[in-house]
């Protein structure tokens, strides 16, 4: 079955960096668009970034543009989210998602989800 396993979360001070990884198995990874979403306490899950199957197209929510970078390694079946200049507002559980309907911002485009990794940014 499909498994997406996130790692790399943790506690970091504002202004710091983290790199999240999402290792995929049970699917033809190179055929899938991959996305990162996040959910803060008491808030709905929101789109963060996405990348097309080839890596040639990326998509970001405005609040992370210039700070976060999504990338992928199809040989390793892994997608990454490099997060720089982190802010307390970035505190959330971050989820990796896979889908075949393009690298869009809607959660409905993705039908496979990981369990999430906690990112906490202290001020």
């Amino acid at each position: 079955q499909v498994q997406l396993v996130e790692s790399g979360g943790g506690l970091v001070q504002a202004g710091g960096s983290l790199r999240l990884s999402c290792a995929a198995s049970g699917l033809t990874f190179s055929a899938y668009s991959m996305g990162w979403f996040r959910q803060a306490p008491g808030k709905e899950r929101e789109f963060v970034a996405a990348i097309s199957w080839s890596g040639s197209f990326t998509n970001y929510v405005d609040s992370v543009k210039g700070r976060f970078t999504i990338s992928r390694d199809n040989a390793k079946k892994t997608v990454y989210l490099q997060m720089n200049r982190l802010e307390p507002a970035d505190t959330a559980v971050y989820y990796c998602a896979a889908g075949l309907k393009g690298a869009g911002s809607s959660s409905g485009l993705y039908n496979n989800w990981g369990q999430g990794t906690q990112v906490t940014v202290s001020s």
Side-chain angles (χ1 to χ4, degrees):
Q1 72 276 21
V2 176
Q3 279 195 314
L4 300 176
V5 180
E6 302 96 335
S7 62
L11 174 63
V12 64
Q13 288 189 330
S17 299
L18 284 174
R19 188 174 83 152
L20 305 184
S21 299
C22 171
S25 61
L27 75 169
T28 305
F29 182 77
S30 59
Y32 281 75
S33 295
M34 300 297 296
W36 286 98
F37 290 74
R38 65 187 180 187
Q39 188 167 18
K43 295 188 176 182
E44 293 189 354
R45 188 174 299 187
E46 69 165 349
F47 169 76
V48 176
I51 188 167
S52 62
W53 64 271
S54 67
S56 62
F57 172 77
T58 56
N59 187 14
Y60 298 92
V61 68
D62 284 348
S63 61
V64 308
K65 285 180 180 177
R67 300 190 298 123
F68 290 11
T69 302
I70 188 171
S71 61
R72 66 189 295 159
D73 185 332
N74 285 346
K76 294 183 178 180
K77 298 185 178 181
T78 302
V79 62
Y80 305 97
L81 186 68
Q82 178 67 44
M83 306 186 295
N84 299 329
R85 304 201 319 269
L86 282 160
E87 304 168 354
D90 296 317
T91 295
V93 177
Y94 283 70
Y95 297 91
C96 169
L100 293 170
K101 298 182 179 179
S105 60
S106 170
S107 61
L109 297 174
Y110 305 90
N111 58 344
N112 298 284
W113 293 82
Q115 293 300 306
T117 186
Q118 176 70 47
V119 171
T120 303
V121 184
S122 63
S123 57

